[in-house]
mmCIF file of all heavy atoms in Angstrom:
data_model
loop_
_atom_site.group_PDB
_atom_site.id
_atom_site.type_symbol
_atom_site.label_atom_id
_atom_site.label_comp_id
_atom_site.label_asym_id
_atom_site.label_seq_id
_atom_site.Cartn_x
_atom_site.Cartn_y
_atom_site.Cartn_z
ATOM 1 N N PRO A 404 12.060 -23.617 -22.221
ATOM 2 C CA PRO A 404 10.680 -23.481 -22.402
ATOM 3 C C PRO A 404 9.908 -23.156 -21.087
ATOM 4 O O PRO A 404 8.740 -22.828 -21.203
ATOM 5 C CB PRO A 404 10.191 -24.946 -23.020
ATOM 6 C CG PRO A 404 11.480 -25.610 -23.429
ATOM 7 C CD PRO A 404 12.436 -25.126 -22.623
ATOM 8 N N ASN A 405 10.555 -23.380 -20.010
ATOM 9 C CA ASN A 405 9.918 -23.129 -18.644
ATOM 10 C C ASN A 405 10.327 -21.845 -18.075
ATOM 11 O O ASN A 405 10.385 -21.737 -16.815
ATOM 12 C CB ASN A 405 10.123 -24.385 -17.783
ATOM 13 C CG ASN A 405 9.436 -25.529 -18.244
ATOM 14 O OD1 ASN A 405 8.408 -25.507 -18.735
ATOM 15 N ND2 ASN A 405 10.183 -26.728 -18.175
ATOM 16 N N LEU A 406 10.822 -20.892 -18.758
ATOM 17 C CA LEU A 406 11.253 -19.628 -18.271
ATOM 18 C C LEU A 406 10.149 -18.614 -18.369
ATOM 19 O O LEU A 406 9.693 -18.225 -19.482
ATOM 20 C CB LEU A 406 12.541 -19.187 -19.044
ATOM 21 C CG LEU A 406 13.115 -17.833 -18.628
ATOM 22 C CD1 LEU A 406 13.769 -18.062 -17.280
ATOM 23 C CD2 LEU A 406 14.259 -17.483 -19.534
ATOM 24 N N ALA A 407 9.596 -18.279 -17.171
ATOM 25 C CA ALA A 407 8.436 -17.296 -17.054
ATOM 26 C C ALA A 407 8.741 -15.940 -17.764
ATOM 27 O O ALA A 407 7.905 -15.329 -18.419
ATOM 28 C CB ALA A 407 8.068 -17.175 -15.713
ATOM 29 N N ALA A 408 9.926 -15.519 -17.494
ATOM 30 C CA ALA A 408 10.278 -14.228 -18.059
ATOM 31 C C ALA A 408 10.220 -14.191 -19.560
ATOM 32 O O ALA A 408 9.962 -13.284 -20.158
ATOM 33 C CB ALA A 408 11.761 -13.905 -17.603
ATOM 34 N N ALA A 409 10.573 -15.434 -20.273
ATOM 35 C CA ALA A 409 10.547 -15.488 -21.635
ATOM 36 C C ALA A 409 9.143 -15.390 -22.172
ATOM 37 O O ALA A 409 8.715 -14.848 -23.154
ATOM 38 C CB ALA A 409 11.200 -16.743 -22.125
ATOM 39 N N HIS A 410 8.266 -16.196 -21.425
ATOM 40 C CA HIS A 410 6.844 -16.146 -21.895
ATOM 41 C C HIS A 410 6.172 -14.788 -21.626
ATOM 42 O O HIS A 410 5.418 -14.376 -22.365
ATOM 43 C CB HIS A 410 5.999 -17.170 -21.070
ATOM 44 C CG HIS A 410 6.304 -18.726 -21.448
ATOM 45 N ND1 HIS A 410 5.902 -19.238 -22.677
ATOM 46 C CD2 HIS A 410 7.090 -19.614 -20.962
ATOM 47 C CE1 HIS A 410 6.284 -20.455 -22.759
ATOM 48 N NE2 HIS A 410 7.065 -20.709 -21.698
ATOM 49 N N THR A 411 6.673 -14.081 -20.622
ATOM 50 C CA THR A 411 6.098 -12.782 -20.413
ATOM 51 C C THR A 411 6.492 -11.814 -21.433
ATOM 52 O O THR A 411 5.711 -10.897 -21.885
ATOM 53 C CB THR A 411 6.602 -12.251 -19.013
ATOM 54 O OG1 THR A 411 6.133 -13.176 -17.893
ATOM 55 C CG2 THR A 411 6.010 -10.857 -18.649
ATOM 56 N N GLN A 412 7.751 -11.956 -21.897
ATOM 57 C CA GLN A 412 8.292 -11.048 -22.955
ATOM 58 C C GLN A 412 7.500 -11.433 -24.350
ATOM 59 O O GLN A 412 7.205 -10.528 -25.074
ATOM 60 C CB GLN A 412 9.815 -11.206 -23.139
ATOM 61 C CG GLN A 412 10.342 -10.430 -24.341
ATOM 62 C CD GLN A 412 10.209 -8.994 -24.324
ATOM 63 O OE1 GLN A 412 9.670 -8.437 -23.321
ATOM 64 N NE2 GLN A 412 10.695 -8.254 -25.350
ATOM 65 N N MET A 413 7.294 -12.658 -24.548
ATOM 66 C CA MET A 413 6.537 -13.009 -25.760
ATOM 67 C C MET A 413 5.082 -12.446 -25.632
ATOM 68 O O MET A 413 4.470 -12.080 -26.686
ATOM 69 C CB MET A 413 6.378 -14.490 -25.843
ATOM 70 C CG MET A 413 5.759 -15.059 -27.187
ATOM 71 S SD MET A 413 6.557 -14.278 -28.800
ATOM 72 C CE MET A 413 7.836 -15.368 -28.883
ATOM 73 N N TYR A 414 4.519 -12.410 -24.511
ATOM 74 C CA TYR A 414 3.175 -11.830 -24.359
ATOM 75 C C TYR A 414 3.196 -10.359 -24.753
ATOM 76 O O TYR A 414 2.362 -9.850 -25.499
ATOM 77 C CB TYR A 414 2.847 -11.949 -22.846
ATOM 78 C CG TYR A 414 1.999 -10.872 -22.337
ATOM 79 C CD1 TYR A 414 0.639 -10.699 -22.610
ATOM 80 C CD2 TYR A 414 2.596 -9.834 -21.500
ATOM 81 C CE1 TYR A 414 -0.081 -9.550 -22.166
ATOM 82 C CE2 TYR A 414 1.869 -8.740 -20.905
ATOM 83 C CZ TYR A 414 0.485 -8.615 -21.266
ATOM 84 O OH TYR A 414 -0.231 -7.552 -20.766
ATOM 85 N N ARG A 415 4.183 -9.568 -24.352
ATOM 86 C CA ARG A 415 4.386 -8.124 -24.703
ATOM 87 C C ARG A 415 4.408 -7.950 -26.274
ATOM 88 O O ARG A 415 3.706 -7.186 -26.799
ATOM 89 C CB ARG A 415 5.596 -7.609 -24.038
ATOM 90 C CG ARG A 415 5.577 -7.546 -22.551
ATOM 91 C CD ARG A 415 6.852 -6.782 -22.091
ATOM 92 N NE ARG A 415 6.903 -6.930 -20.576
ATOM 93 C CZ ARG A 415 7.791 -7.747 -20.013
ATOM 94 N NH1 ARG A 415 8.607 -8.465 -20.691
ATOM 95 N NH2 ARG A 415 7.786 -7.751 -18.685
ATOM 96 N N ILE A 416 5.147 -8.830 -26.869
ATOM 97 C CA ILE A 416 5.320 -8.723 -28.304
ATOM 98 C C ILE A 416 4.013 -9.110 -28.966
ATOM 99 O O ILE A 416 3.584 -8.399 -29.956
ATOM 100 C CB ILE A 416 6.542 -9.654 -28.888
ATOM 101 C CG1 ILE A 416 7.840 -9.054 -28.431
ATOM 102 C CG2 ILE A 416 6.548 -9.733 -30.325
ATOM 103 C CD1 ILE A 416 9.087 -9.882 -28.646
ATOM 104 N N LYS A 417 3.492 -10.127 -28.683
ATOM 105 C CA LYS A 417 2.201 -10.517 -29.306
ATOM 106 C C LYS A 417 0.992 -9.537 -29.113
ATOM 107 O O LYS A 417 0.254 -9.291 -30.023
ATOM 108 C CB LYS A 417 1.724 -11.994 -28.722
ATOM 109 C CG LYS A 417 2.590 -13.061 -29.300
ATOM 110 C CD LYS A 417 2.085 -14.406 -28.802
ATOM 111 C CE LYS A 417 2.899 -15.663 -29.296
ATOM 112 N NZ LYS A 417 2.537 -16.846 -28.791
ATOM 113 N N GLN A 418 1.043 -8.918 -27.926
ATOM 114 C CA GLN A 418 0.079 -7.868 -27.636
ATOM 115 C C GLN A 418 0.326 -6.580 -28.337
ATOM 116 O O GLN A 418 -0.452 -6.038 -28.969
ATOM 117 C CB GLN A 418 -0.056 -7.751 -26.094
ATOM 118 C CG GLN A 418 -1.114 -6.647 -25.665
ATOM 119 C CD GLN A 418 -0.845 -6.242 -24.263
ATOM 120 O OE1 GLN A 418 -0.005 -5.416 -23.996
ATOM 121 N NE2 GLN A 418 -1.720 -6.723 -23.340
ATOM 122 N N GLN A 419 1.526 -6.015 -28.027
ATOM 123 C CA GLN A 419 1.749 -4.645 -28.434
ATOM 124 C C GLN A 419 2.252 -4.409 -29.915
ATOM 125 O O GLN A 419 2.194 -3.424 -30.458
ATOM 126 C CB GLN A 419 2.806 -4.012 -27.550
ATOM 127 C CG GLN A 419 2.250 -4.019 -26.049
ATOM 128 C CD GLN A 419 3.391 -3.752 -25.079
ATOM 129 O OE1 GLN A 419 4.474 -3.284 -25.366
ATOM 130 N NE2 GLN A 419 3.170 -4.041 -23.843
ATOM 131 N N VAL A 420 2.836 -5.567 -30.486
ATOM 132 C CA VAL A 420 3.302 -5.573 -31.868
ATOM 133 C C VAL A 420 2.368 -6.290 -32.839
ATOM 134 O O VAL A 420 1.992 -5.797 -33.901
ATOM 135 C CB VAL A 420 4.726 -6.206 -32.012
ATOM 136 C CG1 VAL A 420 5.277 -6.106 -33.420
ATOM 137 C CG2 VAL A 420 5.757 -5.469 -31.055
ATOM 138 N N ASP A 421 1.869 -7.367 -32.433
ATOM 139 C CA ASP A 421 1.097 -8.316 -33.376
ATOM 140 C C ASP A 421 -0.468 -8.014 -33.138
ATOM 141 O O ASP A 421 -1.192 -8.413 -34.068
ATOM 142 C CB ASP A 421 1.343 -9.670 -33.113
ATOM 143 C CG ASP A 421 2.760 -10.170 -33.359
ATOM 144 O OD1 ASP A 421 3.459 -9.395 -33.894
ATOM 145 O OD2 ASP A 421 3.242 -11.223 -32.844
ATOM 146 N N PHE A 422 -0.852 -7.417 -32.137
ATOM 147 C CA PHE A 422 -2.269 -7.369 -31.716
ATOM 148 C C PHE A 422 -2.920 -8.713 -31.738
ATOM 149 O O PHE A 422 -4.104 -8.901 -32.117
ATOM 150 C CB PHE A 422 -3.056 -6.384 -32.682
ATOM 151 C CG PHE A 422 -2.421 -5.068 -32.718
ATOM 152 C CD1 PHE A 422 -2.302 -4.461 -33.976
ATOM 153 C CD2 PHE A 422 -2.073 -4.340 -31.580
ATOM 154 C CE1 PHE A 422 -1.677 -3.106 -34.000
ATOM 155 C CE2 PHE A 422 -1.528 -3.119 -31.587
ATOM 156 C CZ PHE A 422 -1.437 -2.493 -32.837
ATOM 157 N N ASP A 423 -2.151 -9.709 -31.309
ATOM 158 C CA ASP A 423 -2.615 -11.013 -31.178
ATOM 159 C C ASP A 423 -3.093 -11.347 -29.711
ATOM 160 O O ASP A 423 -2.288 -11.790 -28.966
ATOM 161 C CB ASP A 423 -1.526 -12.043 -31.668
ATOM 162 C CG ASP A 423 -1.798 -13.525 -31.475
ATOM 163 O OD1 ASP A 423 -2.979 -13.868 -31.190
ATOM 164 O OD2 ASP A 423 -0.950 -14.390 -31.716
ATOM 165 N N TRP A 424 -4.307 -11.103 -29.533
ATOM 166 C CA TRP A 424 -4.787 -11.052 -28.166
ATOM 167 C C TRP A 424 -4.720 -12.568 -27.534
ATOM 168 O O TRP A 424 -4.398 -12.860 -26.449
ATOM 169 C CB TRP A 424 -6.150 -10.437 -27.960
ATOM 170 C CG TRP A 424 -6.157 -9.187 -28.724
ATOM 171 C CD1 TRP A 424 -6.806 -8.915 -29.885
ATOM 172 C CD2 TRP A 424 -5.509 -7.980 -28.511
ATOM 173 N NE1 TRP A 424 -6.615 -7.619 -30.308
ATOM 174 C CE2 TRP A 424 -5.824 -6.955 -29.433
ATOM 175 C CE3 TRP A 424 -4.751 -7.491 -27.407
ATOM 176 C CZ2 TRP A 424 -5.265 -5.730 -29.495
ATOM 177 C CZ3 TRP A 424 -4.188 -6.175 -27.352
ATOM 178 C CH2 TRP A 424 -4.488 -5.422 -28.526
ATOM 179 N N ALA A 425 -5.205 -13.443 -28.417
ATOM 180 C CA ALA A 425 -5.327 -14.910 -27.833
ATOM 181 C C ALA A 425 -3.869 -15.374 -27.709
ATOM 182 O O ALA A 425 -3.582 -16.015 -26.743
ATOM 183 C CB ALA A 425 -5.973 -15.662 -28.987
ATOM 184 N N GLY A 426 -2.965 -15.119 -28.620
ATOM 185 C CA GLY A 426 -1.630 -15.600 -28.382
ATOM 186 C C GLY A 426 -0.947 -15.002 -27.203
ATOM 187 O O GLY A 426 -0.213 -15.558 -26.465
ATOM 188 N N ALA A 427 -1.211 -13.619 -27.071
ATOM 189 C CA ALA A 427 -0.624 -12.957 -25.962
ATOM 190 C C ALA A 427 -1.142 -13.511 -24.604
ATOM 191 O O ALA A 427 -0.457 -13.614 -23.606
ATOM 192 C CB ALA A 427 -1.017 -11.361 -25.898
ATOM 193 N N ASP A 428 -2.383 -13.819 -24.509
ATOM 194 C CA ASP A 428 -3.115 -14.446 -23.376
ATOM 195 C C ASP A 428 -2.611 -15.648 -22.952
ATOM 196 O O ASP A 428 -2.202 -16.032 -21.789
ATOM 197 C CB ASP A 428 -4.622 -14.461 -23.524
ATOM 198 C CG ASP A 428 -5.303 -14.656 -22.226
ATOM 199 O OD1 ASP A 428 -5.211 -13.777 -21.222
ATOM 200 O OD2 ASP A 428 -6.085 -15.643 -22.104
ATOM 201 N N ALA A 429 -2.295 -16.530 -24.079
ATOM 202 C CA ALA A 429 -1.857 -17.802 -23.919
ATOM 203 C C ALA A 429 -0.397 -17.750 -23.291
ATOM 204 O O ALA A 429 -0.035 -18.557 -22.379
ATOM 205 C CB ALA A 429 -1.725 -18.626 -25.289
#
Side-chain angles (χ1 to χ4, degrees):
N405 295 319
L406 185 60
H410 288 285
T411 303
Q412 175 63 3
M413 183 58 80
Y414 146 77
R415 298 185 186 103
I416 291 174
K417 287 181 178 179
Q418 181 198 74
Q419 299 165 18
V420 179
D421 300 340
F422 305 134
D423 177 4
W424 315 107
D428 194 58

